Amino acid sequence: MAQRIDTHQHIVPPGYAGWLAARGQDAGGMATPEWSIEQALAHMEMLGIASAVLSLSTPGVHLGDDGEARERAREVNEFAAAVVRQAPGRFGFFATLPLPDVEGAVAEARHALDHLGADGVVLLASVRRTYLGDPLWDPLFEELARRGAVVFVHPSASATEPVPGMPAYAADFLLDTTRAAISMCRHGILDRFPTLRVLLAHAGGFVPFAAERMAQACSPDGRQADGLRRLRQFHYDIAVSSSPYAMPSLLAFADPARITYGSDWPYASSRNGRHFARLLDDFPLTAPQRSAIERDNALALFPRLAQAAA
């Protein structure tokens, strides 16, 4: 029986894909993949996924125009909500918000969480060199904290010039997530808004491996212990990160109750999904650890999905 809860699976509405193509946009060096609910369910069947929380990937919906970004965010969220209604129990969704338009983001968060039944929001780690944690975006975090929202942090391409032959997804994505984590820690996001649950994609980028190195920068007064405490407040998914090299670092650093399964489909192909699922299957976890990572920790974040995982 399918048991896994996938907290990192993407949705690509056809209208959104067409809009990106017309703008010549890709996802950090990856072509925008095809998506359908039938393909998603087939992928889930193959990997033993009972339910998935869908989210939009980079580049999001803001390509320079606030009004257009608000319209696209609403279209994407209405589409995702319709998918959830079509397959109740199999899907949830993180709402897309039009940052850096803070006013528009607050309005869309209210609509998606209060009227569409969104399970949380997805935020890009950075938008035009502004990182999560910047005080400019505090009004959004205040709104999300009032609802005890789950915030999924997904990487984006770096604002710096690309390196020829090095696609953004290979390294820049990991750095983008790491920078966002440091910024949120340094600005005390989870201390000031303790009702938020913040989930970092891809095992937090470089965070587990380099936590001791970056800890002082994560605390406003440079205290090592405080920086480590702040980094341990995050939740971490293992999308494309279940290797025998990454897992020991993540398990040594993060609270085991804050680690969730993710597939990153369809940006990570079904072949890649099988590869990383096999790595997870082969990794020496205890039965309680495996159950926690593959489903129990996600159910603590999204209890309404319990029926699908039963």
Side-chain angles (χ1 to χ4, degrees), residues 154-192:
H154 193 277
S156 187
S158 173
T160 59
E161 287 296 317
V163 178
M166 188 181 299
Y169 67 81
D172 291 359
F173 276 15
L174 302 175
L175 178 59
D176 201 49
T177 303
T178 302
R179 284 176 167 176
I182 294 172
S183 178
M184 284 187 284
C185 287
R186 191 169 185 84
H187 291 94
I189 289 295
L190 288 172
D191 284 343
R192 291 187 294 123

Side-chain angles (χ1 to χ4, degrees), residues 31-83:
T32 303
E34 293 184 1
W35 183 94
S36 71
I37 190 170
E38 293 79 14
Q39 289 171 306
L41 290 170
H43 163 78
M44 292 162 67
E45 181 70 21
M46 180 185 67
L47 295 186
I49 297 169
S51 190
V53 187
L54 304 172
S55 59
L56 204 68
S57 185
T58 184
V61 294
H62 202 298
L63 300 183
D65 182 273
D66 285 354
E68 182 181 46
R70 292 186 185 194
E71 291 177 4
R72 288 296 172 188
R74 180 61 55 88
E75 289 174 6
V76 167
N77 292 333
E78 296 280 359
F79 183 92
V83 168

Side-chain angles (χ1 to χ4, degrees), residues 205-273:
F206 305 131
V207 169
F209 178 76
E212 288 287 346
R213 180 185 180 113
M214 66 182 67
Q216 290 184 7
C218 292
S219 177
D221 57 8
R223 288 182 295 145
Q224 187 86 359
D226 183 54
L228 292 172
R229 177 189 66 81
R230 291 176 182 228
L231 287 169
R232 288 192 169 103
Q233 291 176 313
F234 294 117
H235 297 252
Y236 296 83
D237 79 41
I238 59 168
V240 200
S241 304
S242 54
S243 75
Y245 330 113
M247 287 291 289
S249 180
L250 179 61
L251 289 167
F253 174 75
D255 181 346
R258 293 172 179 252
I259 301 173
T260 62
Y261 173 79
S263 73
D264 203 10
W265 186 85
Y267 291 89
S269 67
S270 290
R271 183 177 68 177
N272 283 340

Side-chain angles (χ1 to χ4, degrees), residues 95-102 105 121-142 144 150-157 173 175-190 192-193 196-201 217-218 230-231 234-235:
T96 297
L97 306 182
L99 286 175
D101 172 16
V102 177
V121 303
V122 55
L123 303 179
L124 295 180
S126 67
V127 182
R128 294 179 181 81
R129 299 187 69 84
T130 298
Y131 276 87
L132 296 178
D134 191 296
L136 290 172
W137 294 353
D138 273 3
L140 173 61
F141 282 102
E142 290 169 1
L144 296 173
V150 180
V151 177
F152 176 44
V153 177
H154 193 277
S156 187
F173 276 15
L175 178 59
D176 201 49
T177 303
T178 302
R179 284 176 167 176
I182 294 172
S183 178
M184 284 187 284
C185 287
R186 191 169 185 84
H187 291 94
I189 289 295
L190 288 172
R192 291 187 294 123
F193 306 115
L196 292 177
R197 281 78 53 79
V198 178
L199 173 63
L200 301 181
C218 292
R230 291 176 182 228
L231 287 169
F234 294 117
H235 297 252

